[in-house]
Amino acid sequence: MPELPEVESLRRQLEPELTSRRVEDVWFDPHPNVLRQFRDVGLVAGRTIGGVGRKGKFIVCPLDEGLELIMHLGMTGAFRFDFDDPWVRARMWLDDGRVLAFRDPRRFGRIAVVPAGEYGAIPTLALLGPEPLSDEFDPNEFASVLRKTRAPIKPYLLSQRPVAGVGNIYADEALWRARIHPLSRRVGPRRALDLHGAIRSVLAEAVEREGTTFRDYQMVNGESGRNAPFLDAYGRVDRPCPRCGTPLKKIVLGGRGTTYCPRCQRH
DNA sequence: CACGCCTCCTGTGCGC
DNA sequence: TGCGCACAGGAGGCGT
C-alpha cells in the first residue's frame, strides 16, 4: 500500500536519522523468497549513507564508493528503529548504536545495492516516469504520452511509466477527481490535463497528511497517516459518491480492486 | 513491442 | 467455533 505519499513521509522521517550514518553491519533473512528480492545487500556494510532520496516509490540512498542503496517497501514493508519481531527481514547496525529494522510480513519488499544510477536490474526504476510533484511532470508531455497508449488508463498509471509513484489508492482517487473511467483507453488532451492536475493535488494533499493508512502502512514511529478519512473513492464501494450521491461501483481491473463512480466517470 | 495475465507472500475478515 | 477461501496490491516475468 505504500505509494508516493507514504514513501515520501518515510523518507522525511529517515533522512535526519540516516544521513552521515555509517552502516557497521547488516543482516538479512536467508529465506529463499527474501534472497530473491534482495540484491547485494551485504555491500552496504562499512558504507556511509550520504542522504535519503526518493524516486517514485523507491527510497534511494547514495553511499560512498559510488554505490546506491535502493529500498522498496512492496505491500507491507515498514522501517523501525531498535525493533524486533518475527517479520523483520533485514537489520542495519548504525554507528550511533541504533539498529534500523526492515519489517515486511509478506516479503514483497526489495532492497538492493547498485552502482549509482545503474538500474538495469530494477526495470521499474529504469523506466520510471517523471516525479509528479516536480516540474519534470509536464502537463503537455503527459497528454502526449497518454495519447500514444491504448491500455486502459488505470493499469497504465500503475505501470509507473507515465508518472512515478501512483498506486492503487491514488489511481482511484485521481481518476475520480478527474472524472475519468478507469477502463478508458482514450484520454484526450483536455482530460489528460485534468488528470495531471488531479494526480498532483491528490498526492500533494496526501503528503501533507503523511499518507493513507488503510491496513498496513505505519510511519517510522509506528503512527498512522491521516489521509484515510479524506478518500473519495478508494475503499468506498456502495457508499454515495461525494459529488453526485450515486453509489460507487467496484470492479476488478488488472487483478486489482477498482472503485469509481458510474455516473461521474463515464467512458 | 505493448499489453495482459499470472505469480510471489501472509494476515485478515468474511460466510457457512 | 472452526474452517476454507477471497482479498489486499507492490513489481517482475512471461506469453501473445
Side-chain angles (χ1 to χ4, degrees):
Chain A
M1 203 162 300
E3 306 178 30
L4 186 147
E6 292 74 37
V7 178
E8 174 60 18
S9 298
L10 295 175
R11 188 203 68 76
R12 290 178 183 183
Q13 293 162 53
L14 291 175
E15 187 171 43
E17 313 291 341
L18 297 184
T19 302
S20 304
R21 295 276 62 77
R22 184 174 181 274
V23 181
E24 304 279 4
D25 201 2
V26 61
W27 170 89
F28 51 91
D29 184 352
H31 188 287
N33 295 311
V34 171
L35 292 178
R36 198 191 51 245
Q37 304 282 84
F38 287 10
R39 241 188 126 78
D40 295 329
V41 176
L43 293 180
V44 79
R47 304 276 67 79
T48 298
I49 299 171
V52 181
R54 180 188 57 73
K55 293 176 190 283
K57 304 175 198 171
F58 294 86
I59 288 177
V60 178
C61 303
L63 305 171
D64 54 0
E65 308 270 328
L67 297 174
E68 256 177 15
L69 172 65
I70 314 287
M71 298 188 282
H72 194 293
L73 297 163
M75 240 304 278
T76 54
F79 295 106
R80 305 293 283 271
F81 284 98
D82 300 320
F83 177 89
D84 190 34
D85 77 6
W87 295 279
V88 171
R89 309 301 184 196
R91 295 185 183 86
M92 291 182 203
W93 283 263
L94 306 175
D95 63 357
D96 62 359
R98 300 210 289 168
V99 184
L100 177 66
F102 178 68
R103 181 181 188 270
D104 183 19
R106 290 173 70 180
R107 299 186 168 105
F108 281 6
R110 289 159 195 272
I111 303 181
V113 176
V114 300
E118 289 187 19
Y119 303 142
I122 311 168
T124 302
L125 185 52
L127 296 172
L128 196 64
E131 274 301 315
L133 299 180
S134 81
D135 289 341
E136 63 181 74
F137 187 39
D138 179 76
N140 295 315
E141 207 167 309
F142 185 60
S144 148
V145 166
L146 291 194
R147 184 160 45 85
K148 289 171 192 156
T149 184
R150 283 182 210 141
I153 184 63
K154 179 174 171 183
Y156 188 53
L157 288 176
L158 296 184
S159 75
Q160 307 301 299
R161 292 175 61 174
V163 60
V166 176
N168 205 42
I169 294 176
Y170 301 109
D172 279 5
E173 290 301 301
L175 289 169
W176 178 86
R177 200 171 282 197
R179 307 182 191 224
I180 296 170
H181 194 287
L183 269 169
S184 176
R185 289 173 185 269
R186 280 194 192 171
V187 176
R190 172 97 186 217
R191 297 189 142 197
L193 297 185
D194 288 346
L195 183 55
H196 177 274
I199 289 169
R200 285 194 115 140
S201 61
V202 158
L203 294 178
E205 290 164 24
V207 167
E208 278 179 39
R209 300 182 188 118
E210 297 183 286
T212 301
T213 299
F214 209 78
R215 274 184 106 124
D216 300 293
Y217 164 68
Q218 287 197 325
M219 294 190 262
V220 177
N221 62 9
E223 290 178 10
S224 295
R226 301 183 302 277
N227 194 58
F230 297 90
L231 296 177
D232 290 312
Y234 181 88
R236 302 190 70 251
V237 60
D238 292 336
R239 300 186 59 197
C241 170
R243 228 174 0 228
C244 75
T246 304
L248 298 180
K249 200 174 164 188
K250 182 168 177 177
I251 59 175
V252 175
L253 186 44
R256 275 153 205 147
T258 298
T259 309
Y260 69 101
C261 174
R263 182 172 171 190
C264 296
Q265 296 167 262
R266 310 260 193 183
H267 266 294

